[in-house]
Amino acid sequence: MDRGRRNMLVLPILLAAGTARAGSSAPRGAGAAEPLRVGMSTALSGPAQGLGAGMKAGVEAYFELVNAAGGIHGRRLELIALDDQYEPSKTGPNVRRLIDEDRVLAIVGNVGTPTAVVTVPIVNEKKVPLFGAFTGAGVLRKTPPDRYVFNVRSSYADETAEMIRGLLVDRKLDPEDIAFFTQDDSYGDAGYNGAVKALQSHGFKAAEKLAHGRYARNTLDVEDGLAKVLDPRYHPKAVIMVGTYKPCAKFIKLARKCGLRALFANVSFVGSADLLKELGGAANGVVITQVVPHWSGKLPVLEQYRESGLAPNFVSLEGFIVGRAYVEVLRASGPEPTPERFVETAESGTPFDLGLGEPRALSPAVHGFGTSVWPTRIQAGTFRPFSHWNEVPAP
Amino acid sequence: MNDKPKSIEDNLVSLSIAAGVLFVVLLLAMLAVQQALGSSVRQLESSTLPALSSLSGQRHAVARLFQRQVQVLATRTQSELEAYRDRSAIDGELERSRTLLGEALGGLAREGAREQVGALEAPTRALLARDQALFESVRLRHGFQETLDQQSGSVQAELQKLIQETRAVSGKAHLEYVLALRRIARSPSPLEVKKLVFGGERIQREATEQVVAAVLHLGQLVGKIALAQNDDELNSIAANELNQNLERSRSHLRALLAALDAKDPIRSRAEQMQKQFESVAAGIADAQNPQSLIGLRRNTLRESKKAAELRAELLDAVREFSDGVEQVELIVSQETQRASSAAQFTRWAVRIGMFAVFAVAVWIGIVSVRRMRDSVRALHVQNRELESLSRELQGMNEGLEGLVAQRSAELVKRERSMRLVLDTMDEALIMCDLEGRVIGESSKAALTWFGTPGREALVWDYILPPEQKLIDQFRLGYAQLVEDVLPFEVSIECLPRRFERGEHIYALGFRQVFEEGTFRSILVAARDVTSQVAAEARERDAHEQHLLLANLLKDKAGFRAFVRDGEGLLADLRTQPDRDVTLRALHTLKGNTAVYGMESVARLCHSLEERLAEAGDCLTTSELEELSGLWRARIHRIEETVTTDAAIELGEADYAEMVHSIRQRKDHDQLMNIVEAWKWVATSALLQRLSRQMRRVAERVDKPIEVTVEHHRLRVMPGSLDAFWGSLVHVVRNALDHGIEPAAERVARGKPERGRIVLRTKPLPTGGFVVELEDDGRGIDFDALGRVALRKGLPAKARKDLILAMFHDGVTTREEASELSGRGVGLAAVASTCKAAGGSIDVESTSGKGTCFRFTFSGQPFRIREGSTSGFPARRSRQSLRAARS
């Protein structure tokens, strides 16, 4: 009797302690029934909505795949995606809300560099990983890397460097044959600076003197930039473009109309499918470097992607790969993952199989999975991967 | 007598009065001090201290107000400011402390204190009102500033957009221009060149550049407006630079529009841009619009200025408030000063007062001590006087003999000159030193009586006959006297006071002789008292004779019986009986003679008993002769009075009875009986005699008794019980000596003071009669009797054994014999005579209740005297006697 009463007294206390503990840690994924929540702030409306939607679809598709297979250690994955319209002023509040209110384990697959610029300080402050953002900007690729920032894709610098290499080495162009059309913000700067660095590494010191047209973000006012590129002092044979698909498409169409015969090379961020759609008949020969391989390839992740039933494109494929990379690290973080444990696991040197060939390992010094850039060209309304830039027909 | 110091009592009384007065003074002083101190302390407690504390509360509140103002002024936004809106704590503190201050100062007698507190209220209110105004001003300023910041931000954004739009608008022209350049570069033609140089593209481009430059400058101006420090600067910016810039921007925009083709789709965008610019310009510079940047900044500056003014006013108010507080503080501190100096004064007054009281106390103490000392001295003097007086009195009281002895001693000392005196004295005066040696000249009488003393002869050898016992007694007594340890009178008692030497009897007297206060010698005075002793003996003889005669006359028959008994006893003794019989006879003789006043014989019997008890043998012939001689001598004197040929004694009652019987013509036989009875002995007389004896004995032992005689008119045969009746005296003595307790003891035991004794003769229905002697004394101590019986080797188990033992010779519970009883002989004698008369003895005794001796003579004839109708002797007669206490 006495004993029984004591147990009855102890039980509520244990329960209270248990709920208190669960209450504090559950949103970060403690309870068995509690889903593992992951956040995303991306452009679900506005000029860049194709990118945001694509990334979201890719990540969700892979999460569905995992959930269908019983989740991670029995727990479901849940993606909470908020719209920031590709406006940095909206990204900050979104990310804070995801971390503070939804208590997500990580911010996964955000779209954009300007948005990333505001996101990185927040995740560093909140100690929540920013994983696989859809941007190749340098702000996410510091040396040494930020503890809470992880990249899946290669950087814009990697992409533009690949372009420079292809143009100078494969196609034997002079550096003076190259012009730039970039968005007048940090995204454009990232691509441009990467290219300048690559040019310098190829021995061309006066890269700043090359033709460089710019446009304002979220506008289609490309004329002024085009005027710069078309200045009779320059004779560009190739234009390296760092922008979004709409202005880029307008630029390409207008440039062609103005008689510019040049190779247009876009970085992956442009959004290949949208660009293709926007260009229509003018798309042939436009090059887009990709940070993911073409979905038609033989790699295991591509097979998974094809089985997922998504309309294949590079953005959703990147989202899919980001989803897989995140899940691999999360799974290795044990049944009760926390942001901190996630980072520790990621940096542990364990190789993670992204289904892209050799498993890749991270370390405190290396926070990026991808180093590869896959160039593609638009041919008859489709993307054709190529390995040698001579494969691209002269414009 | 007047000069004599006062008595101790008087001094004590005056001392206690002084002490009492002092105490009262002290008490009053303390009360006064307490009152005085209390009022100043109360004032300090109730008014000044609270006032000081509330003043500090006021200052504290104002300090908090200031701190709050600093914080308020340091804020940058309204939301920051809101945190400081609530001022109620400070208000409350101010209000509270002011109320307290009012209460505290209200208690002060000082005029104007309350008014001063009232005067504080206005500056306080002003202070608070200004603070509130300042707060509001700051709030407004923040509001303006915030709006300004917001506006300026949006203006900047608008301007940025405007620049972008300008660039976009000019972008097309730029492109056209570049394309024209390209064409010229490819194939130059004069028309192309002309168009390039004078064409709208170039104007557009330039206008664009200027618009951009103007808008950029406008942005700068917006920054300047936001930072303008005063109205002058603001007015200057507004009137000069801003106006100039706006005008220039407008003209550039107009130029740009003019440069655009009316059909150009971009023109509408440019017009839109122009409108946008106007709205921005209005947002910046519209003097009528308070929400314009200029208006906002102006308001902000105004509020800043107002705040500064308010702050200055506030400082004034604070100053005023501080002045008020200082005034109040001044009052309070004056009051504090006053209260504490009052307390200080009281303290000093207390010290001085205490000192004065102390001094008075010391003075009184000294005076009292002196007076007491005088009194004690006077007492000493009185004591000494008294001592000397008492010594004188003692000396006087020592009496004539002392004086004589003293004088004699003096005479001895002055030997020759006093010789004559000594010779004339009829006392032998012998001076002896402390060793007992005869020193100096002895009186003539001494020389005559005791001869000339030998050289260094000891006084006892000199004067005493050569009887060693006597000499030893003298020597030892003298030694005791010399030791001077016991009182003189006691020591003297141990010395022989009388001795016989030759034919003479001398009496001795002793005097201590002091020389210069030291006991040096003893004067022994001897007087020849031979003739005096003889006279005394004669006197005693005469007294005895007188007593005997008196007894004889009182009860002739009894006396005859007494003489007969005595003769019989002496005859018994002459037969040389064994020791027991001798003792019994002696004891009975002693008892009888003592009862009849023949003291000399009784004394001799007692001394003979003593000797026999010591020696344990029988009487010698000479002793017997001495006893017989004395008895004979005593009896002889009254022999002529005692006729042995006894007549028949007839009492008045008997006689009256006889006459009465004859008159009634009673029967001859009856008359014969009466007459015959006359010869029989009436036990009433016997018992009365016994009761008389008893009363006498009781008188001697000082025990009051009440004797009751119950004779039942019994007469017994004459001569048959004479010996028994004679020995019955032992039982009587025994009863008085052992049975009846002293009066005090009786009272303590709850008994009547007088012992009760019943003497009774009573015929037995079975024939014969009993003689009973009953007392209500302490009863027989059977335990002690048992112990004695065992010691004597007698059976002592049953009560009967003990009673038998009691009547055995030599059995007594007394440790020491007295003249009365105690030798254990008396009861044995009674038992013997009772048995001889054919009687038996029975004793009933209850411890603490009494004893009854019953002698039963069952075979003895007796007669009852007839005729009591005549009213003659009652069957019972009661006589009581109260033993007089001496």
Side-chain angles (χ1 to χ4, degrees):
Chain A
M1 186 64 198
D2 214 351
R3 214 179 142 77
R5 195 189 298 156
R6 198 184 307 152
N7 286 343
M8 281 173 70
L9 271 173
V10 167
L11 196 63
I13 292 167
L14 284 176
L15 277 175
T19 43
R21 221 171 129 241
S24 64
S25 59
R28 297 264 159 92
E34 201 68 34
L36 298 163
R37 287 199 193 94
V38 178
M40 176 187 277
S41 174
T42 192
L44 299 177
S45 59
Q49 62 176 303
L51 300 174
M55 277 301 283
K56 179 171 175 269
V59 172
E60 274 182 339
Y62 190 79
F63 281 8
E64 275 308 308
L65 211 64
V66 173
N67 287 338
I72 296 176
H73 302 290
R75 294 172 66 183
R76 283 176 51 77
L77 282 163
E78 188 181 308
L79 181 71
I80 301 169
L82 301 176
D83 184 13
D84 61 18
Q85 298 172 330
Y86 194 45
E87 276 298 331
S89 59
K90 291 178 180 168
T91 311
N94 277 353
V95 172
R96 285 181 192 279
R97 195 199 121 179
L98 288 169
I99 293 171
D100 292 337
E101 290 175 31
D102 299 318
R103 307 191 75 78
V104 294
L105 280 168
I107 305 294
V108 176
N110 277 10
V111 167
T113 303
T115 55
V117 170
V118 297
T119 306
V120 168
I122 296 174
V123 297
N124 280 338
E125 177 204 328
K126 303 277 182 186
K127 298 184 183 337
V128 171
L130 173 64
F131 191 89
F134 188 84
T135 169
V139 71
L140 273 69
R141 295 172 173 78
K142 292 174 190 159
T143 308
D146 287 328
R147 177 171 166 79
Y148 298 96
V149 178
F150 294 91
N151 295 300
V152 175
R153 59 146 66 207
S154 298
S155 67
Y156 298 133
D158 291 337
E159 287 187 64
T160 47
E162 168 62 15
M163 290 176 192
I164 296 295
R165 189 201 62 78
L167 293 172
L168 295 185
V169 177
D170 291 357
R171 285 182 84 94
K172 311 281 187 224
L173 293 182
D174 288 329
E176 286 84 359
D177 295 339
I178 298 171
F180 294 94
F181 179 74
T182 64
Q183 190 168 291
D184 193 5
D185 63 0
S186 53
Y187 162 50
D189 290 346
Y192 175 70
N193 292 340
V196 169
K197 233 179 224 166
L199 281 169
Q200 284 167 347
S201 70
H202 284 282
F204 183 71
K205 304 294 174 200
E208 285 83 2
K209 289 179 181 166
L210 297 179
H212 186 187
R214 308 202 79 167
Y215 75 97
R217 181 177 64 244
N218 283 348
T219 70
L220 298 175
D221 299 327
V222 298
E223 288 83 356
D224 194 59
L226 180 59
K228 288 230 168 88
V229 173
L230 291 179
D231 193 291
R233 284 172 291 184
Y234 312 113
H235 307 280
K237 290 182 179 155
V239 180
I240 292 176
M241 301 172 74
V242 184
T244 51
Y245 64 91
K246 270 189 178 169
C248 286
K250 186 180 175 190
F251 180 87
I252 292 167
K253 284 195 274 190
L254 200 55
R256 287 217 168 119
K257 197 172 150 191
C258 292
L260 182 64
R261 299 283 172 261
L263 188 153
F264 298 100
N266 289 277
V267 294
S268 57
F269 185 76
V270 77
S272 308
D274 294 313
L275 184 65
L276 174 64
K277 214 160 88 187
E278 203 68 31
L279 284 172
N284 270 350
V286 172
V287 172
I288 306 165
T289 53
Q290 302 293 351
V291 290
V292 291
H294 192 266
W295 56 82
S296 58
K298 304 255 186 240
L299 293 166
V301 73
L302 301 178
E303 282 168 21
Q304 262 184 325
Y305 174 71
R306 287 197 293 270
E307 285 165 13
S308 75
L310 281 170
N313 65 55
F314 290 106
V315 179
S316 65
L317 175 58
E318 184 171 346
F320 195 82
I321 290 171
V322 164
R324 176 165 175 154
Y326 180 73
V327 165
E328 286 301 308
V329 180
L330 191 65
R331 203 192 296 280
S333 301
E336 287 188 10
T338 63
E340 220 42 55
R341 203 168 292 159
F342 179 89
V343 173
E344 284 163 14
T345 310
E347 290 184 340
S348 66
T350 313
F352 301 103
D353 182 12
L354 304 191
L356 290 171
E358 282 295 300
R360 295 152 204 241
L362 302 182
S363 72
V366 179
H367 272 206
F369 282 102
T371 49
S372 301
V373 175
W374 290 270
T376 56
R377 65 189 168 91
I378 298 173
Q379 183 70 51
T382 57
F383 298 96
R384 298 276 170 84
F386 61 89
S387 52
H388 198 280
W389 284 67
N390 269 340
E391 289 176 39
V392 184
Chain B
M1 278 307 274
N2 286 345
D3 298 331
K4 237 181 140 181
K6 283 190 175 177
S7 70
I8 292 181
E9 289 88 343
D10 288 347
N11 281 330
L12 278 176
V13 166
S14 47
L15 185 64
S16 29
I17 288 169
V21 168
L22 210 61
F23 179 71
V24 168
V25 166
L26 208 65
L27 214 62
L28 288 174
M30 277 173 74
L31 276 175
V33 164
Q34 202 178 16
Q35 189 63 27
L37 256 181
S39 75
S40 36
V41 167
R42 259 196 307 284
Q43 192 188 332
L44 270 174
E45 269 177 6
S46 67
S47 299
T48 38
L49 293 182
L52 283 175
S53 131
S54 44
L55 277 174
S56 101
Q58 289 260 307
R59 285 194 184 286
H60 182 245
V62 170
R64 276 176 70 186
L65 197 68
F66 256 78
Q67 192 184 358
R68 175 171 166 276
Q69 281 170 13
V70 170
Q71 285 164 339
V72 162
L73 290 170
T75 56
R76 278 178 304 186
T77 63
Q78 278 186 330
S79 62
E80 265 178 48
L81 185 68
E82 279 310 305
Y84 300 105
R85 179 177 278 282
D86 184 15
R87 199 185 57 186
S88 58
I90 296 171
D91 286 2
E93 192 177 346
L94 264 174
E95 188 59 39
R96 218 169 24 250
S97 60
R98 199 173 61 245
T99 310
L100 281 175
L101 186 62
E103 282 168 8
L105 289 185
L108 286 183
R110 173 90 175 236
E111 282 176 24
R114 204 175 260 283
E115 288 68 18
Q116 276 299 334
V117 178
L120 263 183
E121 198 171 341
T124 310
R125 285 199 195 293
L127 197 64
L128 292 177
R130 299 216 163 98
D131 179 73
Q132 190 57 42
L134 182 69
F135 183 86
E136 284 306 318
S137 159
V138 170
R139 195 180 63 80
L140 278 176
R141 193 182 78 201
H142 283 336
F144 292 135
Q145 187 67 53
E146 276 166 35
T147 319
L148 177 69
D149 289 346
Q150 226 167 11
Q151 285 287 88
S152 124
S154 67
V155 165
Q156 291 285 10
E158 290 287 311
L159 292 175
Q160 198 59 44
K161 245 182 190 164
L162 212 56
I163 290 168
Q164 219 171 67
E165 278 299 303
T166 313
R167 289 238 166 88
V169 167
S170 73
K172 264 205 164 156
H174 190 196
L175 187 59
E176 290 300 323
Y177 182 66
V178 167
L179 289 173
L181 284 177
R182 284 174 70 94
R183 281 194 296 274
I184 291 163
R186 235 187 348 258
S187 54
S189 75
L191 196 71
E192 284 287 339
V193 172
K194 196 179 173 189
K195 195 189 171 192
L196 193 67
V197 174
F198 301 104
E201 287 83 11
R202 198 169 156 217
I203 297 164
Q204 262 187 53
R205 216 179 124 65
E206 280 166 6
T208 302
E209 292 306 319
Q210 275 167 347
V211 166
V212 167
V215 169
L216 282 174
H217 188 219
L218 195 58
Q220 271 180 9
L221 285 177
V222 166
K224 268 175 104 175
I225 289 166
L227 293 172
Q229 287 305 302
N230 50 53
D231 276 347
D232 296 342
E233 195 181 336
L234 191 63
N235 288 338
S236 159
I237 293 169
N240 302 314
E241 293 172 76
L242 189 61
N243 258 348
Q244 221 178 352
N245 177 274
L246 289 176
E247 280 314 309
R248 197 183 301 145
S249 299
R250 280 191 193 102
S251 75
H252 291 319
L253 273 172
R254 274 198 301 275
L256 182 62
L257 264 177
L260 286 174
D261 205 338
K263 285 174 278 179
D264 195 331
I266 207 140
R267 190 187 161 89
S268 65
R269 233 177 124 175
E271 281 166 355
Q272 189 63 36
M273 202 170 76
Q274 201 175 19
K275 279 180 199 156
Q276 204 179 346
F277 177 81
E278 284 310 323
S279 94
V280 171
I284 293 169
D286 188 354
Q288 309 304 314
N289 183 4
Q291 291 300 306
S292 73
L293 286 184
I294 293 287
L296 283 168
R297 185 61 194 167
R298 194 162 277 146
N299 285 338
T300 308
L301 286 173
R302 196 185 62 229
E303 288 303 328
S304 285
K305 205 170 145 192
K306 193 172 159 194
E309 282 166 13
L310 279 169
R311 202 154 156 69
E313 283 175 26
L314 201 70
L315 283 173
D316 285 344
V318 166
R319 216 166 286 129
E320 203 180 330
F321 173 81
S322 285
D323 287 348
V325 168
E326 264 167 32
Q327 283 293 326
V328 175
E329 261 180 346
L330 190 67
I331 289 170
V332 170
S333 72
Q334 277 167 357
E335 283 304 313
T336 311
Q337 191 68 31
R338 205 171 59 75
S340 61
S341 63
Q344 189 74 15
F345 172 76
T346 313
R347 263 202 295 280
W348 273 108
V350 169
R351 280 178 203 163
I352 289 164
M354 291 308 273
F355 180 75
V357 169
F358 178 71
V360 169
V362 167
W363 177 72
I364 287 172
I366 288 167
V367 169
S368 316
V369 164
R370 290 180 105 159
R371 284 189 167 202
M372 292 292 274
R373 196 186 56 195
D374 290 349
S375 303
V376 169
R377 274 181 189 160
L379 206 63
H380 273 302
V381 171
Q382 281 176 3
N383 269 350
R384 268 201 296 280
E385 281 171 9
L386 270 176
E387 264 174 36
S388 68
L389 274 174
S390 89
R391 265 202 302 277
E392 279 169 28
L393 210 60
Q394 207 182 352
M396 281 153 78
N397 283 349
E398 273 176 11
L400 204 60
E401 276 190 341
L403 275 174
V404 169
Q406 200 179 350
R407 277 173 204 159
S408 303
E410 281 165 11
L411 284 175
V412 168
K413 211 172 164 189
R414 285 176 273 147
E415 283 171 49
R416 285 177 191 285
S417 61
M418 295 306 291
R419 182 77 250 174
L420 203 63
V421 180
L422 286 175
D423 287 350
T424 58
M425 287 193 66
D426 58 352
E427 270 192 329
L429 297 174
I430 304 143
M431 183 68 80
C432 308
D433 68 9
L434 296 181
E435 273 80 44
R437 286 186 293 267
V438 178
I439 52 169
E441 289 288 328
S442 300
S443 70
K444 188 184 174 188
L447 299 175
T448 310
W449 295 340
F450 307 121
T452 312
R455 188 179 160 75
E456 299 212 333
L458 294 166
V459 68
W460 44 85
D461 293 333
Y462 174 46
I463 61 168
L464 292 182
E467 287 174 28
Q468 196 54 48
K469 202 174 163 188
L470 190 62
I471 289 172
D472 286 345
Q473 191 192 353
F474 194 104
R475 196 162 44 85
L476 291 171
Y478 193 87
Q480 197 172 310
L481 193 64
V482 168
E483 275 177 14
D484 199 20
V485 172
L486 294 172
F488 183 71
E489 293 74 18
V490 177
S491 299
I492 278 189
E493 283 301 313
C494 297
L495 282 158
R497 304 304 300 271
R498 200 172 265 203
F499 66 93
E500 278 181 50
R501 182 167 164 145
E503 309 259 304
H504 294 270
I505 298 166
Y506 300 96
L508 285 170
F510 302 88
R511 295 284 179 275
Q512 287 172 299
V513 177
F514 291 86
E515 281 175 36
E516 293 160 4
T518 314
F519 178 28
R520 281 285 166 79
S521 47
I522 293 173
L523 180 68
V524 180
R527 252 180 323 131
D528 187 345
V529 294
T530 317
S531 53
Q532 190 187 333
V533 167
E536 280 172 11
R538 275 195 301 276
E539 174 73 13
R540 216 163 42 233
D541 271 2
H543 178 72
E544 205 174 310
Q545 189 84 6
H546 180 76
L547 217 72
L548 277 172
L549 277 174
N551 282 327
L552 173 66
L553 290 174
K554 245 186 263 170
D555 183 9
K556 254 183 198 167
F559 195 82
R560 272 200 296 273
F562 157 67
V563 172
R564 207 165 43 240
D565 287 349
E567 296 281 340
L569 286 167
L570 283 169
D572 285 350
L573 286 171
R574 262 184 227 106
T575 58
Q576 299 279 347
D578 62 11
R579 192 165 174 269
D580 283 350
V581 176
T582 304
L583 280 174
R584 230 178 280 155
L586 265 181
H587 198 62
T588 308
L589 191 60
K590 180 177 92 171
N592 285 356
T593 52
V595 164
Y596 277 91
M598 204 185 273
E599 294 289 338
S600 54
V601 177
R603 265 202 303 280
L604 185 58
C605 286
H606 185 69
S607 62
L608 287 173
E609 271 184 339
E610 294 261 292
R611 198 194 68 72
L612 287 186
E614 272 179 37
D617 57 359
C618 288
L619 288 175
T620 59
T621 317
S622 65
E623 283 167 345
L624 191 58
E625 281 311 310
E626 191 187 356
L627 185 62
S628 313
L630 191 59
W631 169 262
R632 283 257 54 93
R634 291 285 175 269
I635 294 298
H636 180 70
R637 299 233 190 108
I638 53 166
E639 212 159 18
E640 48 270 33
T641 338
V642 183
T643 42
T644 45
D645 184 16
I648 294 169
E649 281 182 54
L650 194 60
E652 285 284 333
D654 293 325
Y655 176 75
E657 188 189 12
M658 189 62 201
V659 170
H660 181 72
S661 300
I662 292 169
R663 280 203 185 129
Q664 284 194 327
R665 299 187 182 277
K666 281 196 175 170
D667 179 340
H668 203 274
D669 287 343
Q670 277 179 321
L671 293 176
M672 189 63 201
N673 253 344
I674 295 170
V675 172
E676 273 179 359
W678 287 349
K679 261 213 121 171
W680 288 57
V681 181
T683 56
S684 62
L686 291 168
L687 294 181
Q688 293 296 353
R689 195 185 300 153
L690 206 56
S691 85
R692 275 199 301 278
Q693 290 175 352
M694 211 152 190
R695 273 180 257 129
R696 272 203 293 277
V697 173
E699 244 177 288
R700 276 190 18 217
V701 299
D702 193 17
K703 285 182 179 173
I705 54 167
E706 197 177 281
V707 185
T708 305
V709 171
E710 293 175 10
H711 49 73
H712 294 90
R713 290 181 296 162
L714 194 74
R715 283 171 182 260
V716 296
M717 205 165 69
S720 60
L721 293 170
D722 288 356
F724 169 72
W725 288 117
S727 67
L728 208 53
V729 70
H730 295 301
V731 183
V732 169
R733 284 164 164 249
N734 210 62
L736 281 169
D737 201 11
H738 295 297
I740 301 297
E741 309 91 333
E745 190 182 325
R746 289 185 63 88
V747 172
R749 283 172 189 270
K751 293 182 181 178
E753 191 184 8
R754 272 163 213 288
R756 278 178 201 192
I757 292 171
V758 179
L759 302 174
R760 183 184 295 122
T761 53
K762 180 168 82 174
L764 288 169
T766 53
F769 57 91
V770 293
V771 179
E772 285 178 357
L773 196 147
E774 198 179 312
D775 69 61
D776 69 342
R778 56 169 73 92
I780 294 166
D781 185 352
F782 282 103
D783 290 346
L785 192 60
R787 284 196 295 275
V788 175
L790 282 176
R791 211 156 50 225
K792 296 276 176 185
L794 298 166
K797 279 179 188 163
R799 178 65 67 93
K800 206 176 159 191
D801 294 332
L802 292 177
I803 288 168
L804 278 178
M806 191 165 61
F807 291 95
H808 200 274
D809 273 308
V811 172
T812 178
T813 56
R814 276 291 172 90
E815 298 299 320
E816 212 166 308
S818 73
E819 213 177 321
L820 221 52
S821 70
R823 296 204 185 282
V825 176
L827 287 182
V830 172
S832 160
T833 56
C834 180
K835 199 174 170 189
S840 63
I841 304 174
D842 188 17
V843 179
E844 285 174 16
S845 180
T846 311
S847 180
K849 290 281 170 67
T851 310
C852 178
F853 284 84
R854 182 177 298 124
F855 305 94
T856 309
F857 300 96
S858 48
Q860 282 285 343
F862 65 94
R863 281 172 185 253
I864 302 294
R865 202 178 66 194
E866 298 297 321
S868 59
T869 51
S870 62
F872 280 103
R875 287 183 59 169
R876 284 178 150 219
S877 73
R878 168 172 292 195
Q879 290 182 33
S880 54
L881 181 139
R882 178 170 301 195
R885 284 167 177 258
S886 57

